[in-house]
Amino acid sequence: MVKMAELSKVILLPFIGIAIFLSIWTVTANSIDTSLGKFPGPVAVVTQFENLYQEHVNEREKAQAFFERQETRNAARLAKDPSYEAKIRGYTGKETFWDQIVTSLVTVMSGFILAAVIAIPLGIWMGLSRSLQAAINPIIQIFKPVSPLAWLPLVTMVVSAVYVSPDPIVSKSFINSMLTVTLCSVWPMIINTAIGVSSIDSDLINVSKVLRLSAITHVQKIVLPASIPMIFTGMRLSLGVAWMVLIAAEMLAQNPGLGKFVWDEFQNGSSDSLARIMAAVVVIGFIGFLLDRGILALQRWVSWDQ
């Protein structure tokens, strides 16, 4: 009986919840008329997933054909002139929906990792020093609520002035989106890390003093293991913020990710645009869920009490 109750919670109740949601979505969509037609229901969105996948396959076939033609042409030139230096040109076709998903994931994880590299050491330092916490906390509270729409123009101007290269390794739009993600997601990690470190049990602090641990050993053996739950709580909050911020940043910076896909479809205004945007919304939500579960699994893996 206990196993059946647990199974119903894991499978049956989520299934019922999803079924009710899809029913409400279908009924609501049929009652909403827009300038582009009916609001897309679940069936229309599934159809667009199939179309987007087929577009991806077609684009990959075009790319393969392009490289095959290039290879054949270079082979023919080399046969006529052995001294000819063959040139390999990259395929410049449009990015597909699935390519844009990868771009968004790379961008958000780059910004998130950069935020973690800055936030976790600073949060530990603040947690260990009340003076530093008193000095920096007002700055954090001022900049924490700033919207990515306010940060992005400033980031764009700075990157344009500093990142000057005739052959850049990565595009400016990627840097703009990544730094905007970093600026918006760094604050929850700093705050939660500082709280976690400052609230360590006094008995653990006394053990460190009795053993006369060095500052680095104290952080490694006492501070980090004891504050991991709060650190990862901050990381989960920051990653959620980062994923939300990314979509807005990509829309404005025109970084070729999911945000740009949504914006391009909105500007396109075709009869399928609403369904394609809704498909992107579903993907954005599902990826956000997977990112949160991934951080939670990582926390369980590194926590000493797990």
Side-chain angles (χ1 to χ4, degrees):
M1 292 296 294
V2 175
K3 289 184 177 180
M4 287 297 295
E6 292 179 354
L7 187 64
S8 66
K9 287 182 179 180
V10 173
I11 298 177
L12 184 59
L13 293 180
F15 176 80
I16 293 173
I18 293 173
I20 293 173
F21 169 75
L22 292 177
S23 300
I24 295 173
W25 180 7
T26 302
V27 173
T28 305
N30 289 331
S31 63
I32 298 176
D33 289 312
T34 71
S35 59
L36 299 177
K38 289 284 186 181
F39 189 84
V43 176
V45 171
V46 171
T47 300
Q48 287 308 313
F49 274 123
E50 296 173 356
N51 293 341
L52 290 167
Y53 176 73
Q54 190 58 49
E55 289 175 9
H56 176 77
V57 172
N58 294 340
E59 196 64 26
R60 286 292 172 269
E61 291 175 351
K62 289 180 182 179
Q64 183 177 357
F66 170 81
F67 287 116
E68 288 175 354
R69 290 194 302 270
Q70 186 172 225
E71 185 177 347
T72 302
R73 184 169 58 252
N74 287 335
R77 291 289 299 272
L78 284 170
K80 293 182 179 179
D81 182 8
S83 62
Y84 172 72
E85 295 183 2
K87 297 179 180 179
I88 305 297
R89 293 181 173 84
Y91 181 67
T92 57
K94 68 175 183 179
E95 288 195 337
T96 67
F97 180 68
W98 309 104
D99 295 330
Q100 290 170 313
I101 291 174
V102 173
T103 299
S104 290
L105 286 172
V106 171
T107 306
V108 76
M109 292 310 300
S110 299
F112 174 74
I113 291 171
L114 178 59
V117 169
I118 297 169
I120 294 176
L122 180 58
I124 292 173
W125 192 10
M126 288 174 61
L128 295 173
S129 172
R130 293 186 180 277
S131 299
L132 181 66
Q133 187 169 352
I136 297 181
N137 188 58
I139 300 173
I140 294 174
Q141 298 305 324
I142 290 172
F143 288 111
K144 182 180 68 172
V146 176
S147 166
L149 302 180
W151 281 120
L152 189 58
L154 299 174
V155 170
T156 302
M157 295 300 293
V158 172
V159 171
S160 298
V162 175
Y163 189 60
V164 180
S165 173
D167 186 22
I169 299 175
V170 294
S171 66
K172 288 185 179 181
S173 61
F174 171 82
I175 298 294
N176 292 335
S177 298
M178 184 192 74
L179 291 180
T180 303
V181 166
T182 299
L183 285 169
C184 293
S185 62
V186 71
W187 313 115
M189 264 191 283
I190 295 177
I191 293 170
N192 281 270
T193 302
I195 292 174
V197 172
S198 62
S199 60
I200 293 175
D201 194 326
S202 59
D203 290 341
L204 296 175
I205 304 297
N206 293 332
V207 168
S208 179
K209 291 179 180 178
V210 170
L211 296 177
R212 297 182 180 180
L213 300 179
S214 65
I216 295 178
T217 306
H218 173 68
V219 170
Q220 290 177 338
K221 302 297 184 180
I222 303 295
V223 172
L224 282 176
S227 57
I228 274 179
M230 285 299 294
I231 291 175
F232 271 90
T233 298
M235 291 176 69
R236 289 177 67 188
L237 291 172
S238 290
L239 189 54
V241 170
W243 187 239
M244 288 189 294
V245 164
L246 175 71
I247 305 305
E250 286 181 336
M251 284 184 179
L252 297 180
Q254 290 296 287
N255 187 45
L258 285 171
K260 186 176 185 298
F261 173 85
V262 171
W263 181 253
D264 288 345
E265 288 298 331
F266 176 72
Q267 294 292 321
N268 183 27
S270 70
S271 57
D272 293 330
S273 291
L274 286 178
R276 291 165 76 90
I277 291 173
M278 196 64 202
V281 168
V282 172
V283 169
I284 290 166
F286 185 68
I287 291 175
F289 170 76
L290 292 181
L291 291 175
D292 182 75
R293 295 297 95 183
I295 290 291
L296 185 59
L298 181 62
Q299 176 183 349
R300 290 172 177 168
W301 183 62
V302 302
S303 294
W304 63 272
D305 59 342
Q306 297 295 325

